Amino acid sequence: MSEPVRSLVTVGAGQAAVATVRMLRRRGFDGPLTVLSDEPHLPYQRPPLSKEFLRGDAGSADLVLLDETWAAAHDVELRTGAAVTAVAPGRVELGDGSHVSADAVLLATGVRARTLPGVSGDRVVHLRTVGDAVRLRDALPGLRRLVVVGGGLIGAEVASSARELGVEVVVLEAGPLPMLGALGPDMAAFCAGLYRDHGVDLRCGQEISAVSPTAAGVVVETSSGPVEADLVVVAVGSVPRDELARAAGIAVDPVRGGVVVDELCRTSAPGVFAAGDVACRAVGDGFVRVEHVDNATTQGGTVARALLGKAVPPPEAPWFWSDQFDLNLQVVGHAPAGAEVVVRGSVADRDFTAFYLTADRVRAAFCVERGGDVPAVRALLALDAPVPRAQLADDDHDLFDLLDTISA
């Protein structure tokens, strides 16, 4: 942007939007900042919805990202229940007929839960908003059996929370193993074992055709027969909320959706940025969209720096975490298909880091109860140099000493 930016309006009030306005104020930006949310709640964080909040270990106040006191103290206009109908460079139209003008517009609209044809009704929950989480949280204590459709992160976290509350859980996964695409066969098998060892009835290779209500609950029709339950949670991924961008003629991924951005989170429209779950970047012949808090926070910071004319550090490898069945799981990078897996620690003891290598270089890692390995993993990814497998697998060989040896 050639002209100095004096004002910003964010369409959306999640992690990316809040990270942007917080950094702008920290860095001395004193122009008008407006945050628009189509939900009636204060901006909130979503990761606890399937874990602490669902189990009742955290309340609504614990979710808040940006409250009215902070907004007032930092001169941020926070507008909840503000549905946006159209965006254009310098202008955002609202459902009540009003508009907000600003030098820059940030699309931080996030995603919506993906639905399945024929799977709907009063006893079907899609977990995305705090309202969804409240409904599921309030229902769990009265359930005998819960069916979770989808064995990814959200499905696993819901299953874990429900089992902790004593609910019988059946997980129906379409693939041959849960998390197979993200972790590869060995570590996906580890996740399947984790489910089953904690009493979850994990059924893989299941296609869902319909959910039918009964007098006592529901029947889920699957490719291998019916499954009875009291409630169904559908956790089969998400769809980017890119309709405003499409209507404005802003470039999107034509295959999987998402607003296309460059390294500064700029879209194809001048003065319009996108960040967080809705944003995607060109990688090779396609686009990559990352749906995790760390990415949203990082991209929010990128937008702030771009608006301030500051240098933006090179992007780091994506990183996300999940708490399941009393274990902390963390993934750094993208595990390539067919990568060699080198394990440090003990898979049997559920205390290990699995490194994914191609051409002797670390491309990703899956850390179980090993959050302390994450900084070294990120450094190995950034170094992009051959790594000796024996030392990588040796728990007695410090990873930072290994880094020093490689980079010397």
Side-chain angles (χ1 to χ4, degrees):
M1 299 177 67
S2 56
E3 295 296 323
V5 175
R6 299 182 180 87
S7 57
L8 169 72
V9 55
T10 77
V11 182
Q15 194 76 36
V18 171
T20 301
V21 300
R22 284 188 178 277
M23 178 173 283
L24 284 171
R25 285 299 189 240
R26 285 200 305 269
R27 297 294 182 93
F29 184 88
D30 59 3
L33 294 176
T34 304
V35 176
L36 304 175
S37 172
D38 59 358
E39 293 192 59
H41 319 284
L42 291 172
Y44 62 91
Q45 51 183 322
R46 297 184 191 274
L49 296 183
S50 54
K51 301 185 285 291
E52 301 97 318
F53 186 79
L54 197 58
R55 297 191 302 266
D57 297 334
S60 298
D62 300 310
L63 303 179
V64 174
L65 281 172
L66 189 154
D67 61 27
E68 293 161 319
T69 301
W70 189 94
H74 294 83
D75 196 23
V76 173
E77 184 180 4
L78 176 58
R79 299 173 62 175
T80 58
V84 173
T85 57
V87 298
R91 186 179 176 95
V92 171
E93 304 285 347
L94 300 177
D96 62 5
S98 65
H99 72 274
V100 178
S101 296
D103 295 328
V105 176
L106 171 60
L107 293 173
T109 46
V111 297
R112 66 172 56 84
R114 186 181 300 278
T115 59
L116 293 173
V119 181
S120 62
D122 292 340
R123 292 183 178 266
V124 175
V125 176
H126 295 83
L127 183 57
R128 177 62 190 171
T129 69
V130 68
D132 299 331
V134 167
R135 179 185 170 200
L136 181 56
R137 181 197 64 189
D138 292 349
L140 278 175
L143 301 184
R144 181 185 64 85
R145 174 186 278 186
L146 174 71
V147 164
V148 179
V149 181
L153 288 180
I154 298 299
E157 290 172 355
V158 169
S160 174
S161 296
R163 288 297 298 138
E164 188 169 324
L165 295 173
V167 179
E168 182 181 336
V169 178
V170 179
V171 171
L172 304 174
E173 164 60 34
L177 287 169
M179 298 287 291
L180 180 60
L183 297 178
D186 292 342
M187 294 302 112
F190 167 83
C191 290
L194 196 58
Y195 272 113
R196 291 174 172 135
D197 287 349
H198 285 82
V200 174
D201 182 358
L202 172 64
R203 306 181 189 183
C204 297
Q206 300 294 303
E207 295 295 332
I208 312 302
S209 58
V211 171
S212 305
T214 67
V218 290
V219 172
V220 182
E221 301 294 342
T222 79
S223 51
S224 60
V227 181
E228 295 183 357
D230 302 306
L231 193 72
V232 178
V233 173
V234 177
V236 292
S238 60
V239 178
R241 297 178 62 192
D242 60 8
E243 295 85 359
L244 291 171
R246 290 176 184 271
I250 297 171
V252 299
D253 177 350
V255 178
R256 287 172 298 217
V259 183
V260 178
V261 299
D262 65 8
E263 69 280 359
L264 298 181
C265 290
R266 296 175 296 195
T267 72
S268 61
V272 180
F273 294 74
D277 292 357
V278 77
C280 62
R281 290 192 59 187
V283 176
D285 295 331
F287 298 92
V288 171
R289 191 169 53 82
V290 180
E291 295 182 34
H292 300 295
V293 168
D294 180 62
N295 178 69
T297 303
T298 299
Q299 289 192 330
T302 295
V303 173
R305 290 185 178 92
L307 295 176
L308 294 166
K310 304 294 185 181
V312 175
E316 291 187 305
W319 164 57
F320 65 88
W321 67 92
S322 178
D323 295 315
Q324 303 173 18
F325 307 107
D326 299 323
L327 294 180
N328 176 255
L329 316 179
Q330 302 195 40
V331 176
V332 187
H334 293 293
E340 177 186 1
V341 178
V342 174
V343 175
R344 179 186 186 88
S346 171
V347 175
D349 293 338
R350 294 173 178 163
D351 180 4
F352 67 92
T353 292
F355 296 91
Y356 296 80
L357 280 70
T358 60
D360 296 329
R361 290 164 167 80
V362 175
R363 305 302 188 190
F366 175 45
C367 307
V368 177
E369 291 290 287
R370 294 231 171 176
D373 285 354
V374 169
V377 170
R378 301 188 90 160
L380 285 167
L381 288 168
L383 189 61
D384 191 26
V387 179
R389 292 172 178 75
Q391 294 179 18
L392 194 62
D394 184 358
D395 234 351
D396 293 326
H397 197 103
D398 186 84
L399 285 175
F400 284 99
D401 288 344
L402 176 59
L403 270 166
D404 291 340
T405 302
I406 297 169
S407 55

Short mmCIF file of all heavy atoms in Angstrom, two decimals, residues 107 240-261 267-268 278 280 287:
data_model
loop_
_atom_site.label_atom_id
_atom_site.label_comp_id
_atom_site.label_asym_id
_atom_site.label_seq_id
_atom_site.Cartn_x
_atom_site.Cartn_y
_atom_site.Cartn_z
N LEU A 107 -10.06 -9.34 6.16
CA LEU A 107 -11.00 -10.46 6.15
C LEU A 107 -10.48 -11.55 7.09
O LEU A 107 -9.46 -12.19 6.80
CB LEU A 107 -11.16 -11.01 4.73
CG LEU A 107 -11.84 -10.09 3.72
CD1 LEU A 107 -11.77 -10.71 2.33
CD2 LEU A 107 -13.28 -9.83 4.12
N PRO A 240 -14.09 -22.86 4.30
CA PRO A 240 -13.74 -21.45 4.52
C PRO A 240 -14.90 -20.52 4.20
O PRO A 240 -15.61 -20.71 3.22
CB PRO A 240 -12.56 -21.23 3.56
CG PRO A 240 -12.67 -22.30 2.53
CD PRO A 240 -13.29 -23.48 3.23
N ARG A 241 -15.06 -19.52 5.04
CA ARG A 241 -16.13 -18.54 4.84
C ARG A 241 -15.59 -17.43 3.92
O ARG A 241 -15.25 -16.33 4.37
CB ARG A 241 -16.57 -17.98 6.18
CG ARG A 241 -17.19 -19.02 7.11
CD ARG A 241 -17.57 -18.43 8.45
NE ARG A 241 -18.59 -17.38 8.29
CZ ARG A 241 -18.95 -16.55 9.26
NH1 ARG A 241 -18.35 -16.59 10.44
NH2 ARG A 241 -19.88 -15.65 9.04
N ASP A 242 -15.53 -17.74 2.65
CA ASP A 242 -14.95 -16.80 1.67
C ASP A 242 -15.99 -16.17 0.76
O ASP A 242 -15.65 -15.59 -0.28
CB ASP A 242 -13.88 -17.52 0.83
CG ASP A 242 -14.44 -18.71 0.05
OD1 ASP A 242 -15.67 -18.90 0.03
OD2 ASP A 242 -13.63 -19.46 -0.54
N GLU A 243 -17.26 -16.23 1.13
CA GLU A 243 -18.33 -15.72 0.27
C GLU A 243 -18.19 -14.22 0.02
O GLU A 243 -18.45 -13.74 -1.10
CB GLU A 243 -19.70 -16.02 0.89
CG GLU A 243 -20.04 -17.50 0.98
CD GLU A 243 -19.49 -18.16 2.22
OE1 GLU A 243 -18.80 -17.48 3.03
OE2 GLU A 243 -19.74 -19.37 2.39
N LEU A 244 -17.81 -13.45 1.03
CA LEU A 244 -17.65 -12.00 0.85
C LEU A 244 -16.56 -11.71 -0.16
O LEU A 244 -16.70 -10.81 -1.00
CB LEU A 244 -17.33 -11.33 2.19
CG LEU A 244 -18.46 -11.30 3.22
CD1 LEU A 244 -17.93 -10.81 4.57
CD2 LEU A 244 -19.60 -10.39 2.74
N ALA A 245 -15.46 -12.46 -0.08
CA ALA A 245 -14.37 -12.27 -1.04
C ALA A 245 -14.82 -12.63 -2.46
O ALA A 245 -14.53 -11.91 -3.43
CB ALA A 245 -13.16 -13.11 -0.64
N ARG A 246 -15.52 -13.74 -2.60
CA ARG A 246 -15.99 -14.16 -3.92
C ARG A 246 -16.91 -13.10 -4.54
O ARG A 246 -16.78 -12.76 -5.71
CB ARG A 246 -16.73 -15.50 -3.82
CG ARG A 246 -15.84 -16.68 -3.50
CD ARG A 246 -16.66 -17.95 -3.33
NE ARG A 246 -15.84 -19.08 -2.94
CZ ARG A 246 -15.24 -19.92 -3.80
NH1 ARG A 246 -15.40 -19.74 -5.10
NH2 ARG A 246 -14.51 -20.92 -3.35
N ALA A 247 -17.84 -12.59 -3.71
CA ALA A 247 -18.78 -11.59 -4.21
C ALA A 247 -18.07 -10.30 -4.61
O ALA A 247 -18.53 -9.58 -5.51
CB ALA A 247 -19.84 -11.29 -3.15
N ALA A 248 -16.94 -10.02 -3.96
CA ALA A 248 -16.18 -8.81 -4.27
C ALA A 248 -15.19 -9.00 -5.41
O ALA A 248 -14.48 -8.06 -5.79
CB ALA A 248 -15.44 -8.33 -3.03
N GLY A 249 -15.12 -10.20 -5.97
CA GLY A 249 -14.19 -10.47 -7.05
C GLY A 249 -12.76 -10.66 -6.59
O GLY A 249 -11.82 -10.57 -7.39
N ILE A 250 -12.56 -10.94 -5.31
CA ILE A 250 -11.23 -11.19 -4.76
C ILE A 250 -10.84 -12.64 -5.02
O ILE A 250 -11.66 -13.55 -4.91
CB ILE A 250 -11.21 -10.87 -3.25
CG1 ILE A 250 -11.50 -9.38 -3.01
CG2 ILE A 250 -9.89 -11.26 -2.60
CD1 ILE A 250 -11.72 -9.01 -1.56
N ALA A 251 -9.59 -12.87 -5.38
CA ALA A 251 -9.13 -14.20 -5.75
C ALA A 251 -9.27 -15.20 -4.61
O ALA A 251 -8.91 -14.91 -3.46
CB ALA A 251 -7.68 -14.14 -6.21
N VAL A 252 -9.79 -16.39 -4.93
CA VAL A 252 -9.91 -17.48 -3.97
C VAL A 252 -9.38 -18.76 -4.60
O VAL A 252 -9.22 -18.85 -5.83
CB VAL A 252 -11.39 -17.69 -3.53
CG1 VAL A 252 -11.94 -16.44 -2.86
CG2 VAL A 252 -12.25 -18.10 -4.71
N ASP A 253 -9.09 -19.73 -3.76
CA ASP A 253 -8.70 -21.05 -4.24
C ASP A 253 -9.92 -21.65 -4.94
O ASP A 253 -10.94 -21.91 -4.31
CB ASP A 253 -8.27 -21.92 -3.06
CG ASP A 253 -7.90 -23.35 -3.46
OD1 ASP A 253 -8.14 -23.74 -4.61
OD2 ASP A 253 -7.38 -24.08 -2.59
N PRO A 254 -9.84 -21.91 -6.26
CA PRO A 254 -11.02 -22.40 -6.97
C PRO A 254 -11.40 -23.83 -6.64
O PRO A 254 -12.51 -24.27 -6.96
CB PRO A 254 -10.60 -22.26 -8.44
CG PRO A 254 -9.11 -22.37 -8.43
CD PRO A 254 -8.68 -21.73 -7.14
N VAL A 255 -10.51 -24.57 -6.01
CA VAL A 255 -10.76 -25.98 -5.73
C VAL A 255 -11.30 -26.17 -4.32
O VAL A 255 -12.37 -26.75 -4.11
CB VAL A 255 -9.49 -26.82 -5.94
CG1 VAL A 255 -9.75 -28.29 -5.59
CG2 VAL A 255 -8.99 -26.68 -7.37
N ARG A 256 -10.58 -25.69 -3.32
CA ARG A 256 -10.96 -25.95 -1.92
C ARG A 256 -11.44 -24.70 -1.19
O ARG A 256 -11.83 -24.78 -0.03
CB ARG A 256 -9.78 -26.55 -1.17
CG ARG A 256 -9.51 -28.00 -1.56
CD ARG A 256 -8.24 -28.50 -0.94
NE ARG A 256 -7.10 -27.72 -1.43
CZ ARG A 256 -5.90 -28.24 -1.68
NH1 ARG A 256 -5.70 -29.51 -1.50
NH2 ARG A 256 -4.93 -27.48 -2.11
N GLY A 257 -11.44 -23.56 -1.84
CA GLY A 257 -11.89 -22.35 -1.19
C GLY A 257 -10.82 -21.73 -0.32
O GLY A 257 -9.78 -22.34 -0.04
N GLY A 258 -11.07 -20.52 0.13
CA GLY A 258 -10.09 -19.77 0.91
C GLY A 258 -9.61 -18.57 0.12
O GLY A 258 -9.51 -18.62 -1.10
N VAL A 259 -9.35 -17.48 0.82
CA VAL A 259 -8.94 -16.23 0.18
C VAL A 259 -7.43 -16.27 -0.06
O VAL A 259 -6.65 -16.47 0.88
CB VAL A 259 -9.31 -15.02 1.05
CG1 VAL A 259 -8.93 -13.72 0.34
CG2 VAL A 259 -10.81 -15.03 1.38
N VAL A 260 -7.02 -16.07 -1.29
CA VAL A 260 -5.61 -16.15 -1.67
C VAL A 260 -4.88 -14.90 -1.18
O VAL A 260 -5.32 -13.76 -1.43
CB VAL A 260 -5.45 -16.30 -3.19
CG1 VAL A 260 -3.98 -16.32 -3.57
CG2 VAL A 260 -6.15 -17.57 -3.67
N VAL A 261 -3.75 -15.11 -0.48
CA VAL A 261 -2.94 -13.99 0.02
C VAL A 261 -1.48 -14.19 -0.36
O VAL A 261 -1.05 -15.31 -0.67
CB VAL A 261 -3.05 -13.85 1.56
CG1 VAL A 261 -4.49 -13.57 1.97
CG2 VAL A 261 -2.52 -15.09 2.28
N THR A 267 -4.56 -9.50 -0.26
CA THR A 267 -5.38 -10.19 -1.24
C THR A 267 -5.19 -9.53 -2.60
O THR A 267 -4.38 -8.61 -2.76
CB THR A 267 -6.87 -10.13 -0.85
OG1 THR A 267 -7.36 -8.80 -1.05
CG2 THR A 267 -7.07 -10.56 0.59
N SER A 268 -5.97 -9.97 -3.58
CA SER A 268 -5.88 -9.38 -4.91
C SER A 268 -6.54 -8.01 -5.00
O SER A 268 -6.39 -7.32 -6.02
CB SER A 268 -6.52 -10.32 -5.94
OG SER A 268 -7.90 -10.52 -5.64
N VAL A 278 -9.32 -18.55 7.05
CA VAL A 278 -9.89 -18.31 5.72
C VAL A 278 -8.82 -18.05 4.67
O VAL A 278 -9.09 -18.14 3.46
CB VAL A 278 -10.88 -17.13 5.76
CG1 VAL A 278 -10.15 -15.78 5.81
CG2 VAL A 278 -11.84 -17.16 4.58
N CYS A 280 -5.36 -18.49 2.35
CA CYS A 280 -4.52 -19.54 1.79
C CYS A 280 -3.42 -18.92 0.94
O CYS A 280 -3.57 -17.82 0.41
CB CYS A 280 -5.34 -20.53 0.97
SG CYS A 280 -6.17 -19.83 -0.47
N PHE A 287 -2.77 -24.48 -3.44
CA PHE A 287 -2.83 -23.54 -2.32
C PHE A 287 -2.86 -24.32 -1.01
O PHE A 287 -3.40 -25.43 -0.96
CB PHE A 287 -4.08 -22.66 -2.42
CG PHE A 287 -4.12 -21.80 -3.65
CD1 PHE A 287 -4.74 -22.24 -4.81
CD2 PHE A 287 -3.52 -20.55 -3.66
CE1 PHE A 287 -4.78 -21.45 -5.95
CE2 PHE A 287 -3.55 -19.75 -4.79
CZ PHE A 287 -4.18 -20.20 -5.94
#
